[in-house]
Amino acid sequence: MCGIVGYVGKEEAAEFLLEGLRRLEYRGYDSSGMATISPGSELSVVKTAGRIDELARRLDATPLSGNCGIGHTRWATHGPPNDVNAHPHVSHDGSVAVVHNGVIENYRQLKEHLESTGVEFRSATDTEVIVQLLAHAMERQGMFNGRAAAWQNSKDAEEPLLAVVAEVLAQLRGTYGLVVLFRDWPDLVMAARLGSPLVVGVDDQQHFLASDASPLVGHTDRIVYLRDHEVAVVRADDLRVVHRDEGHVRHRVQTLDLELDDVGLGGYEHYMLKEIFEQPETVRNAMRGRWSMDEATAVLGGLNLTPQQMRSVDRIVLTACGTSWHAALVGEYLLEELARIPVEVEYASELRYRNPPLDNNTLLFAITQSGETADTLAALREMKRKGHPTLAICNVVGSSIAQEADGGVYLHAGPEIGVASTKAFTSQCVVLAMLALYFGRLRHLSFGAGQRIIESLLQLPEQVEQALQCHAHVKQIAEKYAECRNFLYLGRQYNFPTALEGALKLKEISYIHAEGYPAAEMKHGPIALVDEHTPSVFLIPQGQVYDKVMANLEEIKARGGPVIAIVGEGDTRVASLADDVITVPRVDDFLQPVVTVLPLQLLAYHIAVLRGCDVDKPRNLAKSVTVE
Ligand code: G6P
């Protein structure tokens, strides 16, 4: 939610900043801006409501020069998306500019205090207090007195500046990833992080900053993930990191494993479509190198718990938000069926404030694509505070949740840029199936049963590929139903979470009202919605509940509702009842969500395109929700 970029080097900063903002636009896209500085001049700022294209137009009219700069793309929290509330924010005296992700919870008190000292605020944002506090503190320290000789060299000014930054950060309650640009020290920026990610790209004679790694790709593969409570002093040729409690720390430079292809459109019209078609590969990557055929189990080295500790788990809590929460529901079926462990699935936003009685041997899994979702992070922290082992199923390497969890499993699905999650969901289901196998093999599952599960999983990438062949057919079906105003999605058992996910996909990107339900539950309310204009999407692949779902389908048909059915290969019964039939390969019940969700993703995609919606950047949404 919101994207940050920064640059210090020998090149014109604006070039990297603009390109970086384009790559981060998926994180928030209601307004944007940038600021640069050249030695001896004032801070130059260009910012605007609207998309990055609008910022680019403004920059064409008013180019920014300077080798040091910061930029931001916003998802509004405090104050509407307009030119004034867009970042960067500049202090009343023009000495400091800040870009910020996160939320400052005590901004009202801080603002009132500053206003009482005569500071005039321009924006309605919480961020502006940071920049005004910084300028205020610097003024108190006498740092601007005629740009005093003692401070002219930024090396001399570094320690006092760090002290000022630390003093201001200590006053903030909430979360931040922020980068500060100073008028009087044009050869450095300072970056600070608490609960909102920031990375530094390291290169010879230049450094890059960003709120995730994607803007760095193609510029450098050396990356430093800042930790909470760290402040980085970034110059073209130097990077120093100071931790609030540990003082100066040695930063760890890691290798960034991303290519330009990973962050580009790769010939597709939208990231969402690209990511849908990446699924044969992402499903394969989730499993790669994670099998022990000798033991007929999954090898998940990052869990950081001994088999004995795993064996003593009495209960598992899965917590997540959005699409990841739907994957958690699939996980509940998987872990209960294959591992026989009681599982609870909790919305992270509810869990964080609830106080459920949990036994000692309860293990938490936070499931998250981004690793940054504020509620999921808070729920993980709360469970950790209570002493439960906390693990993560996460996609983004080095993200906050990946750092804070005791261990976990990465999805290795590559960057997911379309706001509506697709490939992360299928990878999450696969990883949860592997976990269920792993736990099952520690308990009651026989060697032979383990082998059969592995065989089924190994066939999945090919089956996903086959399932995606429904693309052209789904597009035709989308044309038929694109004007409908309500949809129902119905499925049972493993396909109940898939129904929820199908409905969410449609809502998110096409703005059509859709509800997912366990197919039998629709008799208790939603069936009242059924008429000839309300299609029901039925998930009815062969399996243990096939006949039951068939009965539910007949109930809908009896009331004149159109039915789109997702069926397994070789099905002969559904076609005589349903209006439209989409066929996917037959897979075991426990893997069905991975194939049945694919036509639902495509259906939502094509309906959204037909309705002229901005598929990758749907209104009001953001990819990574770093606020409560
Ligand atoms: C946002 C995104 C969803 C995503 C949810 C959870 O709402 O728009 O696509 O499912 O956050 O995100 P996470 O990164 O924790 O999986």
Side-chain angles (χ1 to χ4, degrees):
M1 192 160 270
C2 304
I4 285 181
V5 280
Y7 177 83
V8 201
K10 308 285 180 228
E11 307 292 330
E12 283 296 329
E15 229 166 88
F16 167 76
L17 297 179
L18 187 63
E19 187 197 326
L21 288 179
R22 286 197 192 282
R23 292 208 198 146
L24 289 177
E25 199 174 6
Y26 72 102
R27 294 181 68 103
Y29 35 84
D30 56 38
S31 49
S32 62
M34 66 171 76
T36 58
I37 179 73
S38 309
S41 60
E42 297 297 313
L43 289 167
S44 315
V45 181
V46 171
K47 53 186 195 169
T48 175
R51 298 283 170 93
I52 305 292
D53 279 343
E54 184 51 35
L55 180 67
R57 275 192 285 279
R58 299 269 179 121
L59 286 165
D60 280 344
T62 320
L64 290 186
S65 68
N67 306 126
C68 192
I70 56 180
H72 190 264
T73 175
R74 179 169 187 245
W75 186 89
T77 56
H78 296 74
N82 57 29
D83 291 11
V84 177
N85 291 332
H87 301 213
H89 291 283
V90 179
S91 59
H92 60 285
D93 59 358
S95 64
V96 195
V98 165
V99 288
H100 164 229
N101 285 355
V103 170
I104 305 304
E105 290 164 5
N106 59 337
Y107 87 102
R108 277 180 205 285
Q109 295 98 295
L110 296 169
K111 190 169 177 175
E112 277 165 22
H113 170 69
L114 285 164
E115 281 174 337
S116 72
T117 68
V119 175
E120 280 181 26
F121 278 74
R122 296 184 198 118
S123 76
T125 64
D126 54 338
T127 301
E128 195 180 343
V129 298
I130 305 173
V131 76
Q132 303 292 17
L133 279 172
L134 282 167
H136 199 62
M138 287 162 73
E139 203 171 344
R140 266 206 338 268
Q141 300 288 330
M143 298 189 78
F144 300 134
N145 288 342
R147 303 193 181 176
W151 315 117
Q152 265 174 19
N153 181 328
S154 78
K155 288 273 183 204
D156 298 333
E158 187 170 313
E159 288 305 323
L161 274 179
L162 274 169
V164 161
V165 170
E167 176 194 322
V168 169
L169 295 182
Q171 296 175 60
L172 306 178
R173 230 180 40 233
T175 55
Y176 51 79
L178 57 90
V179 188
V180 192
L181 190 63
F182 302 95
R183 176 193 60 199
D184 296 344
W185 297 281
D187 60 343
L188 65 79
V189 296
M190 286 199 180
R193 163 193 167 136
L194 179 64
S196 193
L198 270 186
V199 299
V200 186
V202 180
D203 197 14
D204 301 332
Q205 301 300 315
Q206 58 183 354
H207 283 96
F208 309 90
L209 281 136
S211 47
D212 72 43
S214 55
L216 270 43
V217 180
H219 295 280
T220 180
D221 61 358
R222 285 181 285 153
I223 185 168
V224 175
Y225 294 94
L226 293 183
R227 297 178 300 155
D228 278 352
H229 298 298
E230 284 184 339
V231 175
V233 184
V234 190
R235 291 189 167 77
D237 56 359
D238 191 29
L239 168 66
R240 294 179 67 207
V241 180
V242 183
H243 187 279
R244 185 191 62 181
D245 307 323
E246 301 163 20
H248 286 273
V249 289
R250 276 175 78 96
H251 52 268
R252 204 170 129 227
V253 182
Q254 303 188 39
T255 304
L256 178 63
D257 189 18
L258 285 180
E259 308 280 330
L260 272 176
D261 280 357
D262 295 323
V263 294
L265 274 167
Y268 285 90
E269 203 176 329
H270 296 101
Y271 282 106
M272 183 178 175
L273 195 61
K274 177 187 178 217
E275 287 156 10
I276 289 174
F277 278 92
E278 280 173 355
Q279 289 175 103
E281 199 50 30
T282 50
V283 160
R284 192 173 283 121
N285 286 345
M287 297 189 275
R288 201 184 295 278
R290 287 177 165 166
W291 300 120
S292 165
M293 297 304 181
D294 291 345
E295 296 176 33
T297 189
V299 180
L300 301 165
L303 295 178
N304 295 341
L305 293 173
T306 63
Q308 287 73 18
Q309 287 169 312
M310 290 293 190
R311 182 83 182 74
S312 59
V313 169
D314 290 331
R315 187 208 296 246
I316 292 178
V317 174
L318 303 175
T319 195
C321 303
T323 289
S324 298
W325 186 80
H326 295 154
L329 289 178
V330 175
E332 180 176 24
Y333 285 94
L334 281 164
L335 285 157
E336 293 197 345
E337 181 177 335
L338 301 183
R340 313 291 311 138
I341 302 175
V343 175
E344 270 154 51
V345 177
E346 301 270 3
Y347 283 114
S349 53
E350 290 297 308
L351 179 62
R352 64 183 292 188
Y353 294 118
R354 267 183 57 215
N355 195 11
L358 296 172
D359 337 313
N360 286 340
N361 296 330
T362 300
L363 176 62
L364 176 95
F365 275 98
I367 305 178
T368 168
Q369 187 284 129
S370 63
E372 302 296 347
T373 304
D375 285 322
T376 311
L377 180 57
L380 179 127
R381 283 182 179 156
E382 178 61 11
M383 292 291 281
K384 200 171 179 172
R385 195 189 58 73
K386 289 181 174 160
H388 296 288
T390 56
L391 302 177
I393 297 174
C394 179
N395 192 32
V396 178
V397 176
S399 56
S400 301
I401 290 173
Q403 286 187 32
E404 290 203 22
D406 299 324
V409 188
Y410 277 124
L411 302 179
H412 296 309
E416 191 181 67
I417 294 171
V419 166
S421 184
T422 52
K423 62 178 178 174
F425 175 80
T426 44
S427 294
Q428 286 163 344
C429 292
V430 167
V431 165
L432 283 159
M434 295 171 80
L435 268 174
L437 166 66
Y438 174 77
F439 277 107
R441 287 285 294 132
L442 287 176
R443 292 156 185 250
H444 68 284
L445 265 188
S446 69
F447 184 85
Q451 270 184 328
R452 280 192 294 280
I453 291 170
I454 296 178
E455 275 159 25
S456 297
L457 275 156
L458 287 174
Q459 287 174 38
L460 255 189
E462 216 162 289
Q463 289 161 330
V464 167
E465 189 141 16
Q466 283 165 25
L468 288 170
Q469 286 168 9
C470 67
H471 186 198
H473 182 42
V474 174
K475 195 172 171 192
Q476 284 167 5
I477 295 174
E479 279 160 16
K480 192 164 156 191
Y481 296 99
E483 297 309 319
C484 294
R485 299 178 62 175
N486 294 292
F487 275 72
L488 290 175
Y489 284 74
L490 302 165
R492 294 179 80 158
Q493 299 289 301
Y494 283 100
N495 280 303
F496 159 51
T498 326
L500 294 179
E501 176 58 9
L504 178 65
K505 284 289 88 70
L506 190 71
K507 272 185 275 212
E508 280 177 305
I509 60 171
S510 74
Y511 321 138
I512 294 174
H513 171 241
E515 287 195 44
Y517 257 88
E521 267 297 304
M522 52 92 191
K523 290 191 291 291
H524 304 289
I527 200 165
L529 298 173
V530 170
D531 62 18
E532 67 274 28
H533 305 297
T534 304
S536 295
V537 180
F538 264 89
L539 297 155
I540 181 168
Q542 297 92 342
Q544 54 165 340
V545 288
Y546 178 82
D547 287 329
K548 307 284 174 199
V549 185
M550 189 66 115
N552 301 139
L553 195 157
E554 303 227 25
E555 286 154 11
I556 295 280
K557 278 315 295 174
R559 283 152 187 89
V563 167
I564 305 165
I566 316 297
V567 304
E569 217 167 11
D571 187 286
T572 49
R573 287 173 58 194
V574 178
S576 60
L577 279 171
D579 299 76
D580 293 280
V581 172
I582 302 166
T583 304
V584 293
R586 283 180 84 146
V587 299
D588 288 329
D589 283 22
F590 73 96
L591 293 178
Q592 279 175 359
V594 180
V595 292
T596 54
V597 78
L598 304 169
L600 307 189
Q601 295 170 346
L602 287 167
L603 185 67
Y605 172 80
H606 283 295
I607 290 180
V609 170
L610 286 163
R611 293 170 71 96
C613 300
D614 189 345
V615 173
D616 283 336
K617 299 186 189 71
R619 73 180 179 208
N620 305 339
L621 300 180
K623 183 71 185 159
S624 173
V625 180
T626 51
V627 294
E628 265 198 74

